Amino acid sequence: MNHKRYIYAIGLIIGISLLTLFFHPLLSPPKGSWFNTASSEPPQEQLKEQESQNIEPNPIKPTSVKLSAFPAEGIPVLMYHSISTIPGNNLGVPVEQFAEEMKWLKSQEYTTLSLEDFYQALVNNKPVPEKPILITFDDGYSDNYQSAWPILHENGFSATFFIITNSVGPDMMTWEQLTELTNQGNSIASHTQTHPDLSIISSQQLEKELVLSKKDLENHLGGNVEALCFPSSRYNTKTLEMMPRLGYKLGFTTNPGRVHLGDNPLTLKRIRIPGGMSLTSFQQQFK
Ligand SMILES: [Zn+2]
């Protein structure tokens, strides 16, 4: 009897050992096997996406830019409208003035950010070039393409253009021009469909302005449109509540000041550059 028990015991040990050997690979399956795809692949894909965004060559960005933390003094976001001489209206900045300002920014070694880089810096604390700046244009004037873009390009800069989608056409920038600006590394975002006062229109109208302008830009230009510039800086809590649900992550006002880390990304300040501003006054914005 004892002998038989001994044989059973040995048989049991051998059996367990064989089972363990057989199932061992399942206990720590190799990466990428069917066993762990569900848990590990999405983060890997996200990482890959982030990596490819980071190393994606920007035709405009200089190759040897030193990256640093979000500047304590804030990031200046410049606001322009038309780059032309409009008698009696300082929303128009004469071409010569604009050229002088861009030349000075270049001499001071400022680096323009794309909207995406700006968002990543502000919200995810991603590093930025040492002297970062965002240059924005409201309304989509033709002269932004004809006059401002060549000057920006010449200085190695890119910009963000806020477009009123129902106004795209021969009187303002065309879809072809906006496509070219996009292809050259500029950012295009929404300035609504019809430029209404967002603080007084109905919820239904508000949603339409936000949804359809975004769709129109995305359909024509590709990519995701996630920034909104409030027409005449008019918005209310309803606007701010609706934005995230409709896919907007950034909102730009005309409230004066720089953007600091921790600022509400939906109510960002900008620095208005009026026509007739002296170069000295312009330079003072950066002190
Ligand atoms: Zn506007």
Side-chain angles (χ1 to χ4, degrees):
M1 284 298 280
N2 277 347
H3 190 63
K4 264 188 182 173
R5 270 190 195 164
Y6 192 63
I7 287 170
Y8 281 143
I10 288 174
L12 200 65
I13 289 165
I14 290 170
I16 287 169
S17 305
L18 283 174
L19 278 171
T20 309
L21 274 175
F22 183 74
F23 283 107
H24 176 70
L26 294 185
L27 297 175
S28 57
K31 275 183 183 179
S33 80
W34 62 272
F35 194 77
N36 66 348
T37 45
S39 63
S40 74
E41 278 205 356
Q44 277 175 2
E45 270 170 19
Q46 275 169 18
L47 274 178
K48 269 180 207 159
E49 254 175 46
Q50 283 168 8
E51 274 166 19
S52 67
Q53 271 172 14
N54 288 346
I55 56 167
E56 199 170 61
N58 180 339
I60 293 162
K61 210 179 272 179
T63 46
S64 59
V65 173
K66 241 176 100 183
L67 294 177
S68 54
F70 202 102
E73 68 273 21
I75 295 181
V77 180
L78 303 188
M79 170 179 54
Y80 290 98
H81 289 78
S82 172
I83 300 302
S84 66
T85 306
I86 309 176
N89 186 341
N90 70 8
L91 280 184
V93 168
V95 178
E96 303 72 32
Q97 180 191 329
F98 182 72
E100 205 177 35
E101 289 164 355
M102 293 305 111
K103 199 176 143 195
W104 182 78
L105 287 177
K106 191 192 177 185
S107 75
Q108 299 300 303
E109 299 183 331
Y110 275 91
T111 302
T112 48
L113 299 177
S114 69
L115 260 187
E116 179 61 22
D117 288 344
F118 175 80
Y119 173 79
Q120 292 299 340
L122 180 66
V123 176
N124 295 327
N125 210 1
K126 288 263 174 79
V128 284
E130 273 186 335
K131 291 176 92 174
I133 189 170
L134 194 68
I135 303 175
T136 70
F137 294 83
D138 290 10
D139 302 336
Y141 290 97
S142 299
D143 56 58
N144 289 180
Y145 176 83
Q146 283 150 3
S147 306
W149 169 237
I151 294 168
L152 287 163
H153 191 58
E154 194 183 295
N155 288 288
F157 293 157
S158 66
T160 295
F161 299 90
F162 293 115
I163 302 302
I164 308 160
T165 53
N166 280 9
S167 299
V168 175
D171 293 337
M172 302 294 263
M173 279 195 281
T174 64
W175 288 117
E176 290 72 26
Q177 291 170 337
L178 293 174
T179 302
E180 199 188 321
L181 288 177
T182 306
N183 293 342
Q184 298 274 352
N186 296 285
S187 307
I188 313 286
S190 172
H191 198 27
T192 72
Q193 273 193 305
T194 65
H195 209 271
D197 180 338
L198 296 181
S199 69
I200 58 164
I201 59 176
S202 70
S203 296
Q204 207 184 359
Q205 274 182 300
L206 174 63
E207 181 156 348
K208 190 170 157 259
E209 288 282 344
L210 267 54
V211 168
L212 295 184
S213 60
K214 177 172 159 65
K215 259 193 192 158
D216 217 6
L217 290 170
E218 288 172 349
N219 288 342
H220 280 94
L221 308 172
N224 290 330
V225 170
E226 296 169 325
L228 173 70
C229 172
F230 307 112
S232 312
S233 206
R234 303 284 294 166
Y235 62 94
N236 58 16
T237 45
K238 196 166 68 180
T239 322
L240 301 183
E241 279 164 16
M242 201 179 270
M243 285 171 71
R245 179 167 65 78
L246 302 181
Y248 286 101
K249 304 195 290 195
L250 295 173
F252 290 85
T253 72
T254 63
N255 301 335
R258 295 184 187 194
V259 173
H260 295 86
L261 200 58
D263 282 358
N264 182 350
L266 297 183
T267 54
L268 298 164
K269 292 173 178 169
R270 292 190 288 172
I271 299 165
R272 180 193 291 272
I273 308 299
M277 185 186 239
S278 70
L279 185 61
T280 312
S281 304
F282 181 80
Q283 290 165 349
Q284 273 163 4
Q285 311 298 318
F286 300 89
K287 280 182 179 158

